[in-house]
């Protein structure tokens, strides 16, 4: 039996059954993510380009400072060389103060050079290079001063020995003995090796003895040489020279004496002849 409509013919109406479907999901692209990524990508490229630009500029600045340092390093060494040559040429005997002056100059040039380098790594590299360079310059300057001082001392010591030798020429034995005593006891520089001091004392005594003997009478010279008193002090050449000169002077003295005797005899003969002549004239 068919159902009857309720309440005045109203009957529930059933709608056709629907199938559930999922709602569409939003994606990043829906909100502009693609544009963002594109912008990010563009920004990354720009950033990387900026970084590369900074690297290149940094490299260029380093290269500029490097070549500038190369030039100024060469100029520094040239300037120091000129100053060193002038200092050596104009140095006083002994070159007192040369080492300190040149060491101070090298330090000043180094400080001024390093102050112009902005790159820390480059400055450190040159700091090491300059340290070695300054050490080498200090050694060279000190060697020059020491050599000049040694030459000055040697020259002065030789000059003093010559003066002592000249001072005893023609002087009596007492003066010669005093001079030899000075030579043996005179104060000498402490920086000279003992062997060099002994060599100087012996050389000075030798010069004084040679000069003194040669200025004495030839008979005395010959007697001293014949006594072998100075055989250990004078060289064989000096002994031979003194003896030869003594013999020559003795012969010369003998010749002069003979000539004087003949002259005196001639004068006596002439005088006698003159007296006899006057006597004869009176008797006529």
């Amino acid at each position: 039996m068919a159902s009857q409509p309720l309440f005045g013919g109203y009957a529930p109406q059933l709608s056709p059954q629907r199938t559930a479907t999922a709602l569409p999901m939003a994606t990043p692209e829906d909100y502009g993510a693609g544009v963002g990524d594109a912008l990010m990508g563009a920004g990354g490229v720009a950033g990387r380009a900026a970084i590369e630009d900074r690297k290149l500029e940094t490299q260029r600045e380093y290269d500029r400072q490097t070549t500038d340092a190369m030039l100024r390093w060469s100029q520094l060494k040239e300037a120091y060389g000129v100053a060193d040559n002038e200092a050596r040429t104009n140095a006083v005997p002994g070159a007192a103060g040369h080492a300190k002056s040149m060491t101070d100059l090298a330090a000043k040039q180094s400080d001024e050079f390093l102050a112009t380098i902005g790159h820390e790594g480059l400055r450190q590299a040159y700091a090491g290079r300059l340290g070695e360079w300054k050490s080498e310059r200090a050694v060279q300057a000190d060697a020059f001063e020491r050599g000049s001082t040694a030459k000055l001392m040697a020259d002065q010591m030789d000059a003093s020995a010559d003066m002592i030798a000249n001072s005893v020429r023609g002087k009596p034995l007492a003066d010669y003995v005093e001079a030899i005593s000075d030579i043996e006891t005179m104060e000498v520089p402490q920086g000279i090796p003992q062997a060099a001091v002994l060599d100087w004392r012996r050389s000075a005594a030798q010069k004084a003895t040679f000069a003194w003997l040669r200025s004495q009478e030839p008979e005395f010279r010959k007697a001293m040489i014949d006594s072998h008193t100075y055989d250990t002090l004078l060289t064989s050449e000096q002994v031979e020279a003194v003896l030869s000169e003594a013999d020559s002077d003795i012969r010369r003295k003998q010749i002069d004496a003979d000539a004087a005797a003949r002259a005196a005899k001639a004068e006596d003969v002439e005088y006698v002849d003159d007296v006899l002549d006057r006597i004869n004239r009176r008797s006529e």
Side-chain angles (χ1 to χ4, degrees), residues 228-276:
H228 303 286
T229 302
Y230 302 105
D231 285 358
T232 59
L233 180 58
L234 299 178
T235 66
S236 58
E237 291 78 10
Q238 289 174 326
V239 169
E240 181 62 29
V242 172
L243 185 60
S244 176
E245 289 175 0
D247 289 339
S248 178
D249 289 345
I250 290 173
R251 288 193 298 271
R252 185 178 298 109
K253 285 181 66 176
Q254 186 61 51
I255 292 172
D256 292 343
D258 292 343
R262 287 193 297 271
K265 183 177 180 180
E267 290 178 359
D268 291 342
V269 170
E270 183 179 358
Y271 175 75
V272 171
D273 289 343
D274 182 61
V275 171
L276 291 175

Side-chain angles (χ1 to χ4, degrees), residues 3-15:
S3 61
Q4 297 294 322
L6 298 176
F7 307 108
Y10 175 79
Q13 301 292 318
L14 296 177
S15 299

Side-chain angles (χ1 to χ4, degrees), residues 4-183:
Q4 297 294 322
L6 298 176
F7 307 108
Y10 175 79
Q13 301 292 318
L14 296 177
S15 299
Q17 190 169 356
R18 297 177 181 175
T19 301
T21 59
L23 292 173
M25 299 295 294
T27 64
E29 287 75 9
D30 294 332
Y31 296 93
V35 176
D37 286 345
L39 291 175
M40 288 178 64
V45 171
R48 286 191 296 274
I51 292 173
E52 289 300 321
D53 287 343
R54 284 195 297 272
K55 286 182 179 180
L56 288 174
E57 182 56 33
T58 300
Q59 183 64 52
R60 293 191 189 102
E61 179 59 25
Y62 175 82
D63 291 346
R64 283 191 288 265
Q65 292 191 29
T66 299
T67 54
D68 181 65
M70 290 170 63
L71 175 61
R72 288 186 297 102
W73 170 244
S74 300
Q75 293 171 338
L76 179 151
K77 295 176 72 176
E78 180 183 30
Y80 180 90
V82 171
D84 185 51
N85 287 336
E86 291 180 352
R88 291 177 183 236
T89 301
N90 301 321
V92 298
H98 176 82
K100 183 179 186 306
S101 175
M102 298 312 298
T103 299
D104 290 345
L105 175 62
K108 178 176 180 293
Q109 288 180 320
S110 298
D111 291 342
E112 292 174 349
F113 176 82
L114 289 176
T116 62
I117 300 179
H119 191 280
E120 180 64 24
L122 185 61
R123 185 167 57 251
Q124 291 298 325
Y126 270 100
R129 183 186 299 275
L130 283 164
E132 295 179 0
W133 177 76
K134 287 188 295 183
S135 296
E136 293 172 355
R137 300 292 82 73
V139 170
Q140 292 179 358
D142 181 67
F144 176 77
E145 183 172 334
R146 285 188 291 106
S148 298
T149 299
K151 182 180 184 303
L152 173 64
M153 291 191 297
D155 290 345
Q156 291 178 330
M157 292 175 71
D158 286 344
S160 66
D162 291 340
M163 290 180 182
I164 293 173
N166 290 332
S167 72
V168 297
R169 295 180 188 276
K171 296 297 180 64
L173 177 62
D175 290 355
Y176 164 72
V177 172
E178 180 181 349
I180 294 299
S181 177
D182 281 345
I183 292 171

